[in-house]
Amino acid sequence: NGGSTLHALHRLEELYEDKLDNFTILLIHAGGYSQRLPSASALGKIFTALPLGSPVYQMLELKLAMYIDFPTHMKPGVLVTCADDIELYSISETEAICFDKPGFTALAHPSSLSIGTTHGVFVLEPGRVQGIQKELEYKACHRFLHKPCVETMQASGAVCRADHGLESGGDTEMDFVYTDSVYYFDRPTAKRLLAILGEIGTLGCEIDAYGDFLQALGPGATPDYTKNTANVSQEENQLVAHRQKIFNCLRGTALNVAMLNNSKFYHLGTAQEYLHHLTTDVTLRAHLGLLSDPSGLEQLCPESSGQVPCIIESLVGPGCDVSPGSVIEYSRLGAGSCVGTNSIVSGCCVRENSTIPPNTFLHSLCIPGGFVTVMFGTGDNLKYTVPSPLEIHKLRLLGLDFREAAVRLGLKISEHLFSDSGRIRPSLWNARIFPTPRATAEDSVASVLEMIEALNGKSVHRLPHDVQLLSIEEILQHKDVMRMLNFRKQLTEEISQRRHTREKIN
């Protein structure tokens, strides 16, 4: 996302030149491979549907609504945000979050130390160690830590002490840290970032818009982080050199924080977070008005205060049983179908009387030749790689040792079992386990449900001798976005027609 930020700034400069001196810009990272929530891989996390609004909102609409007041309190510059998080906060009616200081200004949220280990953490200037006076406070940041361990947070002075004034969204720990979400930089700083791109030229490695930019800021910043590659998915030779150039360019730039002391940061970037926030998190459902079935077709039982199923822009046939804790989005469930708990069904057409076991991820995609459905466990780690094909037993598919899973699926274990990126570092992402496209969406889902039965030991799976297998990596390279969007559009129109018919009858 750092490289894409620099590229977007460069394209804006080409298009608008000095007009940018008067522009306020919202830059949203639309979502990369989305390996932790593959249902967002094809179209991007920014177009993730949410169970509210009619037609349903996508994350883009929610972002625009959340930030609607920002431009009037912002000097020319760029506001940077991700596509898979939600920031909710409360401040006085007489206050506003202002982005008007030189350098960077970041929103900061009180969070537990455990949350701090997976986010960016602000080390405030000395003198700010405990007590909260107001819902909105501005402070200078001494330095920024990227996904630090608890010991580093404590040693660096990032840990604050809560008192009775803290409203941190339910956290009960006395010790807390301020974690990152959205940040802004002014127009002069944007020009400095463009100078970095001009000096580097074509980027040949992964640059992070949070860790690599923000760790260079504040008077306490040091270049030590430039050599730390613990959080990099794929290390390249130029990485350290590029980071050092970024550090040298941004060194001395101010990092200000707007501390939102009555706020909550929600991340929906993983399958488990997505399921939890849409089906279990009562607080988020109440704050945003999320619904179990926003279609208005009353396909589910009435709302309850506990865990619920969530149906987003989908049609559920009569007699279907969708367990609490599962999400169905842009799909059709045939009559009498059953979906187990903690499952995600996305873009699928499921035949009548089908059974989808608990903890199952199903996602259908359009590619030339028809439909391909991928299946994983909602707890499977698609980003996890092993050093060589000799260690594929360390991969887990639906909880099974991958070598055992391959045997149950009738797959031949060889170097050809993995697509290009997997020849060196195999993973579930590049494992060729999915048959070539089927003519209909129903056939595609049915073939994958047969695979799941074999993996669960309930049947024997036999592949045709000449079948070609694809990885999700390869499937996405051939995705047909327009057909996928047309499928969604048809569903939305049918739901609208049914709702209109119900309203006329009533």
Side-chain angles (χ1 to χ4, degrees):
N1 53 28
S4 64
T5 298
L6 295 176
H7 177 69
L9 293 177
H10 175 66
R11 289 293 292 125
L12 287 169
E13 198 74 23
E14 288 182 332
L15 290 168
Y16 298 105
E17 299 177 334
D18 291 343
K19 293 179 182 178
L20 291 174
D21 293 341
N22 300 310
F23 281 11
T24 53
I25 297 161
L26 173 62
L27 194 157
I28 307 176
H29 299 130
Y33 290 143
S34 190
Q35 290 170 301
R36 297 180 298 174
L37 185 62
S39 52
S41 295
L43 301 180
K45 291 180 180 178
I46 193 60
F47 301 113
T48 299
L50 298 169
L52 73 161
S54 178
V56 296
Y57 287 8
Q58 296 176 102
M59 186 64 81
L60 177 59
E61 281 92 6
L62 182 60
K63 287 278 177 182
L64 295 175
M66 289 191 299
Y67 304 152
I68 194 168
D69 293 330
F70 287 178
T72 54
H73 305 283
M74 183 187 299
K75 287 188 175 180
V78 181
L79 186 75
V80 177
T81 183
C82 289
D84 58 5
D85 56 42
I86 298 170
E87 303 87 21
L88 301 181
Y89 60 89
S90 172
I91 58 176
S92 165
E93 290 185 6
T94 60
E95 290 183 308
I97 300 174
C98 297
F99 301 95
D100 54 4
K101 296 180 176 62
F104 284 71
T105 300
L107 302 188
H109 310 271
S111 302
S112 67
L113 271 58
S114 60
I115 289 178
T117 61
T118 58
H119 289 75
V121 173
F122 301 103
V123 180
L124 303 179
E125 287 287 11
R128 168 72 199 182
V129 293
Q130 60 180 338
I132 286 177
Q133 306 301 319
K134 298 186 297 182
E135 288 184 317
L136 172 62
E137 298 180 85
Y138 294 95
K139 292 289 179 181
C141 183
H142 182 65
R143 63 180 295 206
F144 177 86
L145 308 173
H146 187 55
K147 299 182 179 180
C149 64
V150 172
E151 292 74 19
T152 299
M153 287 186 257
Q154 292 170 333
S156 63
V159 179
C160 302
R161 194 77 176 168
D163 62 15
H164 64 278
L166 177 65
E167 295 288 346
S168 58
D171 294 325
T172 57
E173 297 182 24
M174 291 299 289
D175 288 342
F176 69 98
V177 291
Y178 282 101
T179 55
D180 64 339
S181 62
V182 179
Y183 69 78
Y184 156 91
F185 51 84
D186 63 356
R187 174 67 175 145
T189 303
K191 291 181 177 179
R192 292 171 72 181
L193 288 170
L194 277 172
I196 295 173
L197 187 60
E199 185 176 346
I200 293 175
T202 302
L203 283 170
C205 64
E206 176 182 326
I207 298 296
D208 183 28
Y210 293 82
D212 292 338
F213 292 174
L214 300 186
Q215 284 186 103
L217 310 176
T222 70
D224 296 347
Y225 77 90
T226 60
K227 299 177 182 178
N228 180 1
T229 58
N231 294 308
V232 177
S233 61
Q234 187 172 342
E235 186 178 347
E236 301 288 351
N237 294 331
Q238 312 108 307
L239 178 62
V240 173
H242 287 356
R243 281 180 168 178
Q244 289 173 342
K245 288 179 180 178
I246 292 170
F247 176 80
N248 291 333
C249 180
L250 293 178
R251 180 167 48 184
T253 303
L255 175 56
N256 308 286
V257 292
M259 294 156 27
L260 296 169
N261 292 318
N262 189 7
S263 68
K264 185 70 175 176
F265 171 88
Y266 296 91
H267 187 247
L268 278 68
T270 72
Q272 293 300 333
E273 290 171 333
Y274 175 78
L275 288 169
H276 172 74
H277 290 314
L278 296 191
T279 69
T280 306
D281 192 329
V282 177
T283 303
L284 179 62
R285 289 218 313 274
H287 283 163
L288 282 184
L290 301 183
L291 301 171
S292 286
D293 184 4
S295 69
L297 298 181
E298 299 178 16
Q299 302 173 103
L300 294 170
C301 57
E303 293 280 303
S304 66
S305 58
Q307 191 181 57
V308 296
C310 181
I311 310 295
I312 304 173
E313 214 70 347
S314 297
L315 291 171
V316 177
C320 283
D321 180 11
V322 181
S323 298
S326 288
V327 175
I328 314 296
E329 67 146 7
Y330 287 105
S331 294
R332 295 175 184 270
L333 294 187
S337 295
C338 176
V339 179
T341 190
N342 200 42
S343 293
I344 297 172
V345 179
S346 173
C348 295
C349 290
V350 181
R351 285 179 178 162
E352 293 181 359
N353 302 313
S354 297
T355 297
I356 299 169
N359 306 304
T360 299
F361 172 88
L362 286 184
H363 178 45
S364 294
L365 300 99
C366 300
I367 66 172
F371 299 84
V372 175
T373 300
V374 298
M375 63 84 192
F376 298 100
T378 48
D380 288 350
N381 185 351
L382 276 64
K383 294 186 78 169
Y384 177 67
T385 63
V386 293
S388 76
L390 296 176
E391 300 183 51
I392 61 171
H393 60 278
K394 294 180 180 178
L395 302 176
R396 291 287 183 273
L397 177 62
L398 292 178
L400 280 176
D401 164 339
F402 186 78
R403 189 174 289 274
E404 172 63 23
V407 171
R408 294 191 184 188
L409 293 176
L411 303 175
K412 182 180 179 181
I413 297 174
S414 71
E415 63 176 9
H416 300 295
L417 187 54
F418 297 91
S419 51
D420 291 344
S421 68
R423 302 289 171 83
I424 301 172
R425 298 192 64 88
S427 69
L428 294 183
W429 184 254
N430 49 53
R432 286 175 167 154
I433 56 179
F434 304 111
T436 46
R438 300 299 177 93
T440 69
E442 291 87 350
D443 287 346
S444 174
V445 172
S447 67
V448 166
L449 291 179
E450 290 174 5
M451 293 172 63
I452 293 174
E453 282 201 346
L455 288 170
N456 290 332
K458 296 180 178 179
S459 67
V460 176
H461 191 257
R462 300 192 186 280
L463 288 168
H465 183 68
D466 58 347
V467 69
Q468 181 185 353
L469 297 173
L470 301 171
S471 67
I472 185 172
E473 177 184 54
E474 292 173 314
I475 292 166
L476 288 167
Q477 290 169 359
H478 301 288
K479 64 184 179 183
D480 188 334
V481 170
M482 293 311 300
R483 284 179 63 207
M484 294 179 69
L485 292 178
N486 284 334
F487 175 77
R488 290 188 171 198
K489 182 181 178 183
Q490 290 169 7
L491 262 178
T492 298
E493 289 175 349
E494 188 171 341
I495 290 169
S496 178
Q497 290 171 359
R498 292 192 184 189
R499 184 168 54 239
H500 181 66
T501 301
R502 284 180 63 92
E503 289 170 353
K504 287 181 67 175
I505 293 173
N506 295 335

